[in-house]
Amino acid sequence: MYFQKILFSLLFLITSFHSFAWGTTGHRVVGGLAQRYLDPTVEKKVRKILNGYSLADVSNWMDEIKSEKNKSYRSLHGWHYMDLADVNVWEPRQYFPDSEIWPQNLYESLLFITTKLKHPQPDDSFTQSVYLRMLVHLVADAHQPLHVGNGEDLGGNRCYVKWFNSRWPTTLHAVWDTKLIDFTKYSYSEYVDYLDHIAESTSKSWQQDGIETWLKESRRLHALIYPSSPASDASKYCGRDRKSILDKDIPSLSFAYVYHMRPIMELRLQQAGIRLAGILNTIYG
């Protein structure tokens, strides 16, 4: 029993505090899809900036550096997410991307990075290659619904669920980061092929939307993606302390949840890829 408790604690730490948005596969899907929608001249410029690498190749760089102790890299931790308590009340602090104020959240970081890519300066904190790697990753983060949190449960990291009747609970955030995508058994390139069927009119419409719209879209999806039933609502399976949550109140997610959530997940991956391509075509076109 003692060993089981230790094992659960380790699993909890891994899934709750080191979960990466979309996981490696999801981020590569967004990068791979975006690559297909770049203008030919833009594609060449992007390849040159990235020393021959593709958008998919560099899409996970911002997660890969999370363990680095470099002060500059550590200052990026808050860039992956933001909280929006009420989706109908948009009240981020007034932020000017060309100011000396360092970004504190996902919204500010995207404004900051796009400005740095449009108007590079010789004294910039990072190279153009690094800013581009950041953009690829954070556009995807903005489209993962739980990276726009409700301000209460750390983006679902404090919400406990059981995946296909597993004995050990995981977090709702982990389900959206990796488990939904892994369930398909696609490689990232196979998933790109599968998702690449977007009408031109739809693509153009998505690319007209601004960053604020992306983030509000993610936040509104919470009403759909948090599992609920008469016997189990979010107040019962979400909490600061796992020990205070009764096992009977932890939802078990399986085929029905996948069936209803997969179209939402795939839409967000498509939108992220298309919008990323739109930004790059605008900057480098």
Side-chain angles (χ1 to χ4, degrees):
M1 180 63 73
Y2 177 76
F3 174 76
Q4 290 176 340
K5 288 182 178 179
I6 295 295
L7 179 59
F8 172 77
S9 297
L10 290 173
L11 289 171
F12 168 74
L13 288 172
I14 292 170
T15 57
S16 294
F17 297 103
H18 296 283
S19 45
F20 301 147
W22 293 128
T24 55
T25 301
H27 277 290
R28 288 174 183 150
V29 169
V30 172
L33 191 59
Q35 192 90 23
R36 295 189 177 190
Y37 287 81
L38 295 179
D39 295 337
T41 55
V42 172
E43 204 271 344
K44 291 180 181 178
K45 290 180 182 179
V46 166
R47 287 273 189 183
K48 184 176 181 180
I49 293 171
L50 295 176
N51 295 317
Y53 291 111
S54 71
L55 298 179
D57 293 335
V58 304
S59 60
N60 286 288
W61 180 83
M62 280 202 77
D63 280 340
E64 293 165 357
I65 64 167
K66 280 185 175 180
S67 62
E68 294 293 318
K69 299 187 183 302
N70 178 290
K71 184 178 180 180
S72 295
Y73 288 170
R74 291 180 69 85
S75 71
L76 309 177
H77 286 188
W79 288 20
H80 296 258
Y81 58 87
M82 69 174 292
D83 286 332
L84 187 58
D86 185 346
V87 71
N88 296 312
V89 181
W90 179 261
E91 293 181 338
R93 68 171 181 169
Q94 192 173 28
Y95 178 75
F96 301 97
D98 55 352
S99 71
E100 297 299 320
I101 300 174
W102 196 244
Q104 298 298 311
N105 58 38
L106 181 54
Y107 174 66
E108 293 177 3
S109 65
L110 284 167
L111 293 178
F112 177 78
I113 292 165
T114 51
T115 298
K116 291 298 184 181
L117 289 172
K118 290 176 182 176
H119 310 290
Q121 302 294 327
D123 59 345
D124 280 341
S125 302
F126 299 105
T127 65
Q128 288 293 289
S129 175
V130 169
Y131 282 127
L132 183 50
R133 291 164 188 256
M134 292 175 174
L135 182 69
V136 176
H137 188 88
L138 294 178
V139 170
D141 278 358
H143 288 78
Q144 205 273 48
L146 291 174
H147 272 251
V148 185
N150 56 26
E152 298 178 356
D153 58 30
L154 297 182
N157 274 308
R158 288 177 175 161
C159 297
Y160 305 93
V161 298
K162 291 184 178 179
W163 186 245
F164 281 84
N165 296 310
S166 170
R167 181 178 180 182
W168 303 104
T170 184
T171 65
L172 187 63
H173 194 106
V175 168
W176 274 83
D177 271 357
T178 58
K179 295 185 184 299
L180 278 172
I181 291 179
D182 290 348
F183 184 82
T184 68
K185 302 300 181 184
Y186 285 137
S187 67
Y188 95 83
S189 57
E190 289 173 331
Y191 222 159
V192 170
D193 288 338
Y194 178 80
L195 294 175
D196 188 12
H197 55 79
I198 303 131
E200 183 178 358
S201 58
T202 300
S203 298
K204 289 182 178 180
S205 176
W206 288 345
Q207 290 174 345
Q208 296 302 311
D209 297 323
I211 297 170
E212 180 181 333
T213 297
W214 312 348
L215 298 170
K216 285 183 175 180
E217 287 171 347
S218 286
R219 181 62 177 83
R220 287 194 176 96
L221 287 171
H222 284 209
L224 296 174
I225 68 176
Y226 277 73
S228 62
S229 68
S232 183
D233 58 58
S235 66
K236 293 184 178 180
Y237 62 82
C238 298
R240 289 181 178 273
D241 185 4
R242 162 68 182 93
K243 296 178 182 178
S244 66
I245 298 173
L246 299 177
D247 195 66
K248 68 180 181 65
D249 291 326
I250 297 178
S252 182
L253 309 183
S254 57
F255 291 104
Y257 188 80
V258 173
Y259 177 77
H260 291 290
M261 294 302 108
R262 183 173 168 180
I264 297 173
M265 174 192 73
E266 292 176 345
L267 174 64
R268 295 308 279 166
L269 291 170
Q270 288 174 318
Q271 289 176 324
I274 294 299
R275 285 165 170 165
L276 173 59
I279 291 175
L280 295 177
N281 285 336
T282 298
I283 293 174
Y284 297 118

